Structures are given as structure tokens and as C-alpha cells.
Amino acid sequence: MNEEELWNLLDEVMDPEIPVLSLVDLGVIREAKFVNGNPQITITPTYSGCPAMKIMEEDIEAVLQGSGFDEYEVKTVLSPAWTTDWITEKGRKALHDYGIAPPEQTTSDKNALLGHPKEVTCPHCRSRQTKMLSQFGSTPCKALYQCNDCKEPFDYFKCI
Ligand SMILES: [Zn+2]
């Protein structure tokens, strides 16, 4: 297996909370390489204390073991801190198709830094007329929004 194949393998590991979004597309997997023939994976948590990180680590270990690797290392690196800008285009599309509004790319905006962009696009009808119902959605990483046009509630993946 080469490094490209290692990345392809890791692309099969999905976010425990969002089964359509791979950890590669989420931007959590920072580095994947071989050290002395053994995989060394570097991950960065989406935010400190994210309860899903332990599951992500175990899922990565499971695919490595499934590919016959007995020796590997999964390292956690906290700096530079993960931001929603690390979510790939493919990841943003997967989120949208899943009915979760992808993070708006306005991290320089003060509202975005607080996790509350002024406008969030409805993933169902693409209306910009949406409002926040709750700062926390189904998980702490998401906020609950509702569309004023189609009235559908939806999760918004908060900017960090
Ligand atoms: Zn809508």
C-alpha cells in the first residue's frame, strides 16, 4: 500500500455523527504516511473535548486493522486548531445533500467567529430566510435552524 491508497482507505472512515461525511473530508485527518512501513495518522479534534473524537480514533484503528496492519500510530495534534475551512468541497456537498447546512465560509466575520452567521442557507430549498431556534442541535457541533420559507427545521454545522 502506498500513501495515496492509505488516504483512500481513510476516506472510508465516516464521521460518527454524520455518516455521509468522511473524516478526510471533515478535515480531521491532517496527515497520513508510513513510518518504517507502519501507518502513522495525525488527527486534529474539531473542538477540544469533542466526545466523538474517541470514536473517530477507534474507527481509524478498525480500518487499519481490517487492512492487516498490526502496528500503527494515531496521533492527536491540537495545533493548528481545526476550523470549518478545512472541510473539503466534497464534504460540504455531502453535508448539504444530507440536509445539514454546511458552514458558511465567513470565518473572518465576527458573527461567524461566535458560531452565529447572520445568514444560513436552507439545505432543503436554498432560501436565505432562516432563523436559529437553538444554539445546540442534535450535537454540540451543530445549531438548530428553521427555514422561514419551507418551514423545515435543519441542523447547521457551526463555524469554529
Ligand atoms: Zn427551506
Side-chain angles (χ1 to χ4, degrees):
M1 185 180 287
N2 59 32
E3 275 180 20
E4 193 186 333
E5 289 164 334
L6 182 61
W7 276 106
N8 288 339
L9 179 70
L10 293 168
D11 199 32
E12 293 170 18
V13 186
M14 296 296 156
D15 182 301
E17 290 161 357
I18 309 164
V20 295
L21 183 65
S22 81
L23 296 188
V24 172
D25 285 328
L26 181 60
V28 157
I29 298 181
R30 299 308 304 152
E31 199 174 31
K33 61 182 180 186
F34 287 99
V35 177
N36 299 323
N38 298 321
Q40 186 188 74
I41 316 300
T42 305
I43 58 176
T44 296
T46 48
Y47 65 98
S48 73
C50 184
M53 281 315 287
K54 188 75 201 138
I55 305 169
M56 292 182 189
E57 213 176 301
E58 287 168 2
D59 287 351
I60 290 169
E61 290 174 1
V63 294
L64 294 174
Q65 287 164 5
S67 291
F69 292 108
D70 299 322
E71 295 198 35
Y72 48 79
E73 189 187 0
V74 181
K75 289 197 303 182
T76 300
V77 172
L78 299 176
S79 179
W82 179 87
T83 85
T84 43
D85 288 347
W86 290 3
I87 300 178
T88 64
E89 272 311 306
K90 183 170 145 248
R92 286 172 196 278
K93 189 175 182 311
L95 277 173
H96 180 270
D97 292 348
Y98 191 60
I100 296 174
E104 306 276 333
Q105 284 170 304
T106 50
T107 42
S108 57
D109 187 288
K110 187 167 167 282
N111 282 301
L113 283 175
L114 294 169
H116 309 306
K118 283 188 267 316
E119 287 186 323
V120 172
T121 306
C122 171
H124 303 291
C125 69
R126 295 197 161 268
S127 166
R128 297 288 281 176
Q129 304 301 313
T130 58
K131 61 173 187 278
M132 188 172 75
L133 294 182
S134 165
Q135 199 178 336
F136 295 104
S138 54
T139 72
C141 310
K142 304 186 206 94
L144 184 64
Y145 272 72
Q146 187 178 25
C147 177
N148 292 338
D149 285 327
C150 72
K151 309 292 180 207
E152 287 287 330
F154 62 92
D155 275 336
Y156 169 65
F157 202 106
K158 280 189 267 189
C159 290
I160 298 173

